[in-house]
Amino acid sequence: MPPPAPSPTAAIATAPDALPPDPPAKGVRSRLASRAGLAATCAALLLVLLVSVVVAIGLGSAVVTPGDTARLLWAALSGGSIDADEVTTYQIIWQIRTPRVLLAALVGAGLSAVGVAIQALVRNALADPFVLGVSSGASVGAVGVTVTGGLAALGIYAVSAGAFIGALVASVLVYAASASRGGGLSPLRLVLTGVAMALGFQAVMSVIIYFAPDSEATSMVLYWTMGSFGAASWGALPVVAACVLLGLAVLYRYSRALDVLALGDETATSLGISPDRHRKGLLLLASLITGVMVAVSGAISFVGLVMPHLVRMVVGATHARVLAVAPLVGAVFMVWVDLVSRTLVAPRELPLGVITALVGVPVFIALMRRKGYMFGGR
């Protein structure tokens, strides 16, 4: 009588090498490929940003070739020498254009990252710092300091301090007005309260401008509230860089929490995430970053609204990926927006908010009209 055939279980047990590893291995390979793709995307964007910065620094009323621009920048960074006939060009490159272009990159990165965070914490695809009233509050603080001369003891940081105080006050008021009796924060109430507060702060800013002491102050404030990097300097750059880069690092650390918050409060609570606590912290962080940026650049619209949507369509809705790519895309975009603003109608400058709105409105409408497009991707 022939021996019985081995059972499938016995066959597997006696031949462990025959176990099919394809599904888990495929998943690992997919994750590695995804990470490699993300790293390659970020590296490419960093290269594009570097090239954009060098080109933007060289272009203007006095055009400097990218090679000469890079050489003069290296001389400034390394302490090298330059020819006597290049002193004026060197001063234009290093003292005027470089801090302005770097500031544009930082503000673009900060606005994009804050837009990602706010859209997640209120679960609203139309949210950005303007919708929650943070930008309007920062504008009121900065305009108030500019017109009245308050906080003069802080020197060059007076306007920045005023903008941050205004953003913080706006955040506190929005939080206090939108919180329920139990202390919870409803995303819908937060958005509606933010919109109402933004209109109120804009009215206050109009009153301040109306009672400005002279017409020159009024025109300066009106121009500044539409966005400009004309006041960029090396003195203000370290504070902005520290706040924006630190804010980006903190937001990236909380990317998983943002993923959960975007799913809803009930899901977040079931997974051990406190929605109210995270909203409070993220709102405070958004106020800090927005206040600093508004202080040095004025109110720039549509960057924090459109950039997150564009990035999600390319890399997906996972916030770790979006927060890695969106700041780079925003930085590149803002560098070129600033270049257009100061060269298109030179020697005059176009307000940054005009250009971002002209670009942002049709792009956003096109995104919304895409078949199947929804918050978080297709």
Side-chain angles (χ1 to χ4, degrees), residues 6-354:
S7 66
T9 305
I12 293 176
T14 57
D17 292 339
L19 288 173
D22 291 339
K26 184 178 180 181
V28 171
R29 286 196 299 268
S30 177
R31 287 193 296 271
L32 291 176
S34 178
R35 293 176 182 175
L38 179 63
T41 301
C42 292
L45 286 172
L46 280 172
L47 180 60
V48 172
L49 178 60
L50 179 61
V51 172
S52 299
V53 166
V54 173
V55 171
I57 291 175
L59 294 179
S61 56
V63 178
V64 183
T65 64
D68 289 339
T69 301
R71 180 173 56 82
L72 293 174
L73 290 175
W74 177 250
L77 294 173
S78 62
S81 60
I82 60 173
D83 296 335
D85 58 349
E86 294 181 317
V87 173
T88 301
T89 304
Y90 172 82
Q91 291 177 342
I92 293 174
I93 292 295
W94 183 249
Q95 298 296 335
I96 299 176
R97 292 184 186 171
T98 300
R100 175 169 182 151
V101 174
L102 293 180
L103 182 63
L106 287 170
V107 170
L111 287 174
S112 299
V114 171
V116 172
I118 290 180
Q119 287 174 8
L121 71 94
V122 300
R123 302 202 314 273
N124 193 310
L126 298 178
D128 70 349
F130 289 86
V131 172
L132 292 189
V134 178
S135 290
S136 299
S139 298
V140 170
V143 168
V145 169
T146 302
V147 172
T148 64
L151 304 178
L154 297 179
I156 61 174
Y157 302 109
V159 178
S160 299
F164 175 65
I165 292 172
L168 192 60
V169 170
S171 299
V172 171
L173 291 176
V174 170
Y175 170 76
S178 59
S180 62
R181 293 184 178 181
L185 280 178
S186 167
L188 180 59
R189 289 169 62 94
L190 194 60
V191 171
L192 294 177
T193 305
V195 171
M197 289 292 181
L199 295 174
F201 282 122
Q202 290 174 8
V204 172
M205 187 166 54
S206 299
V207 171
I208 295 176
I209 295 173
Y210 182 79
F211 288 103
D214 53 64
S215 58
E216 182 179 353
T218 301
S219 60
M220 179 190 68
V221 169
L222 283 174
Y223 181 80
W224 179 83
T225 53
M226 298 181 70
S228 172
F229 295 122
S233 66
W234 284 113
L237 201 61
V239 176
V240 181
C243 291
V244 171
L245 295 179
L246 182 60
L248 292 178
V250 174
L251 287 176
Y252 188 82
R253 182 180 178 183
Y254 284 93
S255 58
R256 290 184 179 274
L258 291 173
D259 288 335
V260 177
L261 286 175
L263 298 176
D265 289 2
E266 293 182 0
T267 303
T269 303
S270 66
L271 294 175
I273 298 293
S274 174
D276 293 337
R277 181 170 61 85
H278 280 81
R279 284 198 183 96
K280 293 175 187 177
L282 288 169
L283 198 57
L284 179 62
L285 180 61
S287 301
L288 170 63
I289 301 175
T290 303
V292 172
M293 290 188 297
V294 170
V296 295
S297 65
I300 304 174
S301 60
F302 278 98
V303 179
L305 176 62
V306 175
M307 291 299 120
H309 289 282
L310 289 175
V311 172
R312 285 191 196 98
M313 294 183 66
V314 177
V315 303
T318 304
H319 283 87
R321 300 172 64 85
V322 177
L323 286 172
V325 176
L328 295 173
V329 175
V332 173
F333 175 70
M334 191 53 64
V335 166
W336 286 99
V337 166
D338 176 60
L339 178 61
V340 171
S341 77
R342 58 186 170 87
T343 58
L344 188 62
V345 291
R348 302 182 65 182
E349 288 186 16
L350 287 173
L352 298 174
V354 172

